[in-house]
Amino acid sequence: MAIQDILKMGDARLLRVAQDVETFDTPELHALVQDLLDTMKAAQGAGLAAPQIGVNLRVVIFGSGKANPRYPDAPIIEQTVLINPQLEPLGPEMESAWEGCLSVPGLRGLVPRHVALRYRGFDLQGAVIDRKVEGFHARVVQHECDHLDGVLYPTRIEDMTQFGYTEVLFPGLDAASEDD
Ligand code: NI
């Protein structure tokens, strides 16, 4: 139950393929999820993946059930703990939008993602989650699940002229609150 340090790009632990969770509803898994929630909240993140706090398991969290001060125009996503996720793009349509990452502080890049997505996985108790989503929600899930395969968003940027410091790209944006 604590705010953990978030690993930054360059740390080899962010490049690993994380392992499946095998047992649900354990004290260890509850503690991990609480750490993720505390750390995401402290950083005002839109999501967080276990590898970002050095835990090599396929666990991501996203959404807060309320508006994110860093993304005031984004739709509200209910707070979700997603374990052992599987993603299935719905259709070929891709869309580019700006992303940041708590492991790549201070920067933003234009990243193409699938517009619509079905995702499946399990919650903390092992109950099935199965949702079809689109837009920002789909983007957040794709970003977080990339962390489970050791992928950071800069490697998905197609036009590297569309990558830079948040304060330069978006002057006036609250510099103390950045990245997901
Ligand atoms: Ni990230």
Side-chain angles (χ1 to χ4, degrees), residues 52 101-102 143 147 180:
Q52 291 182 275
C101 179
L102 295 170
H143 177 114
H147 280 295
D180 53 359

Side-chain angles (χ1 to χ4, degrees), residues 80-177:
T80 301
V81 177
L82 183 64
I83 299 172
N84 299 348
Q86 291 188 305
L87 308 189
E88 177 191 339
L90 298 174
E93 201 184 346
M94 306 286 287
E95 181 176 65
S96 288
W98 292 95
E99 291 186 15
C101 179
L102 295 170
S103 294
V104 192
L107 295 161
R108 292 268 168 116
L110 199 59
V111 182
R113 299 285 187 189
H114 298 285
V115 173
L117 185 74
R118 178 183 187 184
Y119 66 87
R120 284 175 282 189
F122 303 92
D123 71 9
L124 194 41
Q125 281 76 32
V128 171
I129 294 172
D130 186 347
R131 294 178 185 156
K132 290 177 181 172
V133 299
E134 58 183 23
F136 182 73
H137 190 154
R139 175 170 297 277
V140 169
V141 172
Q142 288 169 87
H143 177 114
E144 297 312 329
C145 291
D146 263 356
H147 280 295
L148 305 182
D149 293 324
V151 175
L152 298 172
Y153 82 81
T155 66
R156 292 200 180 275
I157 297 172
E158 292 178 337
D159 177 357
M160 289 302 286
T161 70
Q162 304 299 301
F163 182 44
Y165 289 96
T166 310
E167 66 195 31
V168 179
L169 289 164
F170 304 104
L173 200 72
D174 180 1
S177 63

